Amino acid sequence: GDHQAALENYRKALDLLIAMGDLADQADVLRNMGNVYLRTGSFDKAMESAKRALQISREMADRKGECRSLNNMGNVRIHLGAVVEARTYYEAALQILREVPDEFLEGVVLTNLGMVQMTAGDHEGALPRFNGALDIARRVGDAEGEATVLGQLGEVCLRTGRPLEAIDHLHRAISLMEGTGSTFRISETKCYLALAVLETDRSPGAVAKALDLVGQAGRETPKDAVDR
């Protein structure tokens, strides 16, 4: 399929870059390969690619490349449920960004840290991560990142007994997702919105609205998930 074709192209590019001795582009290709492996469930290969990229970035003293590689390693570990290890990688990436600032990358890492804390059940601890990421996404014009964070904030509010806030966040998340075409989380976002609606109103009209949202979620054909 498309994933296998992408991997084959990356392998060919990597062989050429190795022959040319181009380390910087090798690291970029390895990180991209790792993301594709992650989407296909090849977690060992995804981690191997990220580790190779990390080694190259460190050899080159490329701190931002090191940050990206650590973030990718965190993505692999969180997919495997290794919450503590994932958080360690993300925290290490964030530490680099304190030394070598990059707002876009910081927003990505803060979002991932928030998701880790959500997974661990630390909903209140996730809030400052998401709020920080939201501020950055709006400042740098990252609409896809803003949509993702709003969806996560909606979930946090729903889980912490603030359904009206959840509805506001989730509505805005869905609007952005539809506007940007970044729909890989739209089904779950509509399901959370349905739950939030029912938390605030159990009238027949609200129940019908919630059922409609769940139906929409079931009919969505989201694009391939992207781990940032």
Side-chain angles (χ1 to χ4, degrees):
D2 291 342
H3 288 135
Q4 291 306 314
L7 286 170
E8 185 58 32
N9 288 335
Y10 282 137
R11 290 188 194 102
K12 290 176 181 177
L14 188 60
D15 288 343
L16 180 61
L17 292 167
I18 290 170
M20 294 169 58
D22 186 336
L23 289 176
D25 284 343
Q26 283 180 49
D28 284 338
V29 168
L30 283 164
R31 281 188 287 269
N32 288 335
M33 286 180 71
N35 287 337
V36 177
Y37 280 130
L38 183 59
R39 291 171 210 162
T40 60
S42 301
F43 300 120
D44 288 344
K45 290 181 178 179
M47 184 60 87
E48 179 187 350
S49 296
K51 284 182 175 178
R52 286 176 65 191
L54 178 65
Q55 182 179 0
I56 291 170
S57 293
R58 284 177 170 167
E59 287 174 7
M60 297 178 61
D62 175 8
R63 297 291 275 159
K64 288 184 182 178
E66 185 179 352
C67 173
R68 291 187 182 95
S69 300
L70 288 165
N71 181 70
N72 287 6
M73 292 164 74
N75 290 344
V76 176
R77 299 313 294 164
I78 196 64
H79 274 270
L80 291 169
V83 176
V84 174
E85 193 175 348
R87 182 169 181 171
T88 299
Y89 287 128
Y90 293 140
E91 292 280 11
L94 194 60
Q95 181 59 45
I96 290 171
L97 292 170
R98 294 192 181 104
E99 302 165 19
V100 188
D102 183 309
E103 277 205 305
F104 180 87
L105 269 178
E106 184 181 354
V108 170
V109 176
L110 283 172
T111 301
N112 288 338
L113 270 168
M115 290 180 180
V116 164
Q117 289 177 258
M118 284 282 288
T119 302
D122 182 12
H123 302 132
E124 291 296 341
L127 270 176
R129 307 289 197 183
F130 289 140
N131 283 326
L134 183 61
D135 287 343
I136 290 171
R138 287 172 172 167
R139 196 157 55 240
V140 303
D142 178 15
E144 185 172 325
E146 183 179 353
T148 298
V149 177
L150 284 168
Q152 295 299 317
L153 280 169
E155 183 181 348
V156 171
C157 290
L158 181 61
R159 292 180 182 275
T160 54
R162 289 171 279 184
L164 289 174
E165 290 179 57
I167 288 171
D168 180 54
H169 289 315
L170 294 166
H171 269 306
R172 287 190 288 153
I174 291 167
S175 178
L176 275 172
M177 289 173 185
E178 292 175 342
T180 62
S182 174
T183 59
F184 66 93
R185 293 185 186 276
I186 197 164
S187 292
E188 68 182 65
T189 305
K190 287 187 174 182
C191 286
Y192 282 124
L193 180 55
L195 290 171
V197 166
L198 291 176
E199 283 291 318
T200 60
D201 187 354
R202 292 298 178 96
S203 69
V207 171
K209 181 178 179 180
L211 288 173
D212 180 58
L213 284 164
V214 172
Q216 289 178 38
R219 293 189 296 273
E220 292 287 353
T221 52
K223 74 171 188 179
D224 199 17
V226 176
D227 287 272
R228 289 154 51 101

